[in-house]
Amino acid sequence: MREKLTEWGYLAAWRGVRLMPERSAAATFRRFADRAWSKNGRAVQQLRRNLARVIDGEPSDELVRDALRSYARYWMEAFRLPSMSREALGRSFEMHGYEPVAERAAEGKGSVVALPHSGNWDFAGAWVPQIAGNPLTTVAERLKPEGVFRRFVAYRESLGMTIVPASGGDRNPQAILGEALDAGHVVALVADRDLGRSGVEVKFFGEATTFPSGPALLAIRNNVPLYTAHIHYEADRAVCHITGPVDTGTGRLRERVASTTQAMADAFAEGIGDHPADWHMLQRFWAADFAPAAES
């Protein structure tokens, strides 16, 4: 019953928020963010610790509040995005550096684009097929309950994306993504959270953590370029900058994956460092936060 209530809650939000005037919806979600900030729960405390690594010092209350407002803005836009017109999407999202990806797509060649949980990555996922006219394939984390996962898949498919489940599917996601690259798709991967803590160890803002190896493996095995992207918010739009390609190196596969993943992490750090309030990381992230002392 609890899982069904969760599913109904998401469904109500997707329907209800679209019916609200945009200004009213934005004000409502900002109030949610400010309430979370004032309560200073565990997720907000973790956000504060994460931001401290990014800025190399104690984050101000204003920065933490702005980060929560940015996160709330993402959810407000996500609930409204399925009903957004192509013209409104063009006004709400600004892309820079996409030209080499577009050139490859026009030649029927795929590219991998990796990005962190910053700004509104769903805007980018919708912009590529709807505005640029290029097919885009991405991976979806398997959420619980299953009904919520299916609704998220349907939501992103309604925006023009092809969705591959990260787990629980009939085939290996890397194989499916490789086929998408062969077909000239843009493969976009949100790649700053290593959910299984079994990825590649990197230094990120001076501390050890792990990043998923998927983007590097996919680019190297399929001999395609790996670009990185970062999205941040301006007052009236989300802005994306694509950079790269990342140097995937030569030699043994393990060393190439390690160096490529570190280079990807370095590119993420540059964008996040410039716009820390738009990095939506409220979970434990660095290895030190998973240590026994941190657990206690």
Side-chain angles (χ1 to χ4, degrees):
M1 185 60 178
R2 184 176 180 180
E3 291 187 353
K4 206 64 182 176
L5 288 172
T6 300
E7 182 180 350
W8 288 342
Y10 276 104
L11 181 60
W14 261 305
R15 291 178 176 173
V17 175
R18 287 185 230 175
L19 299 176
M20 298 172 66
E22 184 175 358
R23 185 171 296 180
S24 298
T28 298
F29 276 76
R30 178 171 284 206
R31 284 196 294 271
F32 288 152
D34 289 353
R35 183 179 179 187
W37 173 73
S38 64
K39 292 178 69 174
N40 195 35
R42 292 179 63 182
V44 177
Q45 293 172 34
Q46 185 62 55
L47 172 64
R48 188 182 296 274
R49 286 191 289 269
N50 292 342
L51 288 172
R53 269 79 168 232
V54 173
I55 68 170
D56 193 23
E58 184 64 23
S60 66
D61 286 341
E62 181 181 13
L63 176 57
V64 177
R65 184 197 63 195
D66 288 347
L68 289 167
R69 287 180 173 181
S70 176
Y71 188 44
R73 178 176 174 176
Y74 162 76
W75 280 107
M76 185 272 291
E77 291 173 343
F79 290 133
R80 295 175 65 85
L81 191 48
S83 60
M84 184 178 288
S85 68
R86 186 176 182 275
E87 292 72 22
L89 175 61
R91 292 192 301 269
S92 301
F93 185 76
E94 184 178 307
M95 177 70 83
H96 299 274
Y98 185 73
E99 292 79 8
V101 180
E103 290 171 6
R104 288 184 57 83
E107 298 171 359
K109 299 176 181 177
S111 304
V112 179
V113 180
L115 62 162
H117 287 82
S118 288
N120 190 328
W121 49 95
D122 285 334
F123 267 149
W127 186 92
V128 171
Q130 292 189 35
I131 305 297
N134 302 136
L136 181 140
T137 297
T138 188
V139 172
E141 174 188 345
R142 194 142 213 135
L143 302 171
K144 292 182 180 181
E146 180 70 16
V148 172
F149 169 73
R150 289 197 301 268
R151 293 191 185 281
F152 264 101
V153 169
Y155 153 62
R156 291 192 166 111
E157 287 178 340
S158 74
L159 301 177
M161 310 179 212
T162 298
I163 306 300
V164 178
S167 60
D170 296 332
R171 299 176 58 209
N172 185 308
Q174 282 268 334
I176 301 173
L177 295 175
E179 292 172 0
L181 289 169
D182 288 341
H185 287 214
V186 178
V187 172
L189 300 173
V190 183
D192 54 344
R193 284 183 61 195
D194 181 23
L195 296 175
R197 305 293 303 163
S198 59
V200 178
E201 183 170 314
V202 297
K203 285 289 187 180
F204 196 60
F205 291 102
E207 280 196 47
T209 187
T210 58
F211 269 40
S213 60
L217 272 173
L218 199 61
I220 293 168
R221 285 176 171 169
N222 293 277
N223 194 29
V224 299
L226 168 60
Y227 298 92
T228 59
H230 184 270
I231 303 169
H232 73 275
Y233 280 126
E234 299 289 351
D236 62 343
R237 70 194 67 192
V239 180
C240 178
H241 289 272
I242 293 180
T243 58
V246 173
D247 183 3
T248 55
T250 59
R252 298 175 62 182
L253 178 62
R254 171 177 261 180
E255 283 78 15
R256 291 181 69 187
V257 169
S259 64
T260 301
T261 304
Q262 180 64 66
M264 181 184 76
D266 292 342
F268 286 1
E270 184 173 348
I272 293 168
D274 288 341
H275 302 278
D278 291 323
W279 188 40
H280 305 151
M281 189 58 65
L282 282 72
Q283 301 84 7
R284 291 181 297 175
F285 184 81
W286 278 271
D289 287 338
F290 290 90
E295 294 276 3
S296 63

